[in-house]
Amino acid sequence: MSAGEAIDREQFATTALTTRIAFVLELARRLHQYGTSAPRLEMAIAGAAQRLGMSADVWSSPTAIIISFADLAQGEEGVAQTTQVMRLAPGEVNLERLCQADDIADRAIAGELGLREGFRRLRELGRPDTRREKIGSIASYGLSAASIAA
């Protein structure tokens, strides 16, 4: 472990384990929802957990994610303290929201954004499109169809 990783772990050691786990779970949910491949999701979540002072064993499928967490500050790296199972609908690719989720995760892990704030922003990404956004999407499809028809 490098000196930078030790400093990062110390930074998050004072953050409650439940807060760190909630952030990682929400990140996993959003990455899955927006179309990240299973190997990428597993590596990203394990890496994010490591940076937050935890170890995570991750398994993902198109409809579920299982993550076992252990707090590295407790010493026993191999013993899972909690395991979470999430059943999810198969995601669809949304590159814009996937990039936004990656940015939020990077900023939270770098310390530019608090974990609670990062969690809140990840949750906001999951909100349904507003009526205005839906109307704009329908209008763009109509405009595209009209231009092709001409």
Side-chain angles (χ1 to χ4, degrees):
M1 168 178 24
S2 70
E5 287 178 0
I7 292 169
D8 289 339
R9 283 194 190 160
E10 291 172 12
Q11 172 187 354
F12 292 109
T14 58
T15 305
L17 181 62
T18 54
T19 302
R20 292 181 280 162
I21 289 174
F23 176 79
V24 172
L25 289 173
E26 191 62 27
L27 177 60
R29 181 183 320 277
R30 297 300 166 218
L31 291 176
H32 179 275
Q33 181 179 4
Y34 303 133
T36 299
S37 67
R40 163 78 173 110
L41 185 141
E42 292 171 2
M43 288 187 319
I45 296 306
Q50 184 79 26
R51 297 280 301 196
L52 297 175
M54 302 180 294
S55 68
D57 292 319
V58 186
W59 178 85
S60 68
S61 76
T63 59
I65 300 174
I66 301 171
I67 309 174
S68 296
F69 295 98
D71 189 356
L72 295 178
Q74 300 296 325
E76 297 180 30
E77 190 172 327
V79 179
Q81 294 174 329
T82 185
T83 299
Q84 298 287 321
V85 178
M86 293 188 291
R87 295 281 298 159
L88 304 164
E92 48 188 65
V93 176
N94 185 330
L95 296 178
E96 177 184 8
R97 289 199 174 161
L98 182 58
C99 288
Q100 291 171 343
D102 280 340
D103 181 57
I104 292 167
D106 289 343
R107 291 179 58 209
I109 291 168
E112 298 172 17
L113 195 63
L115 288 182
R116 286 195 170 98
E117 177 66 14
F119 177 81
R120 185 188 66 74
R121 289 185 183 187
L122 286 170
R123 292 296 296 253
E124 285 177 358
L125 284 180
R127 68 173 167 65
D129 291 337
T130 64
R131 183 179 180 100
R132 185 178 193 172
E133 290 169 334
K134 288 179 184 176
I135 291 170
S137 181
I138 292 169
S140 67
Y141 281 116
L143 183 62
S144 296
S147 66
I148 291 171

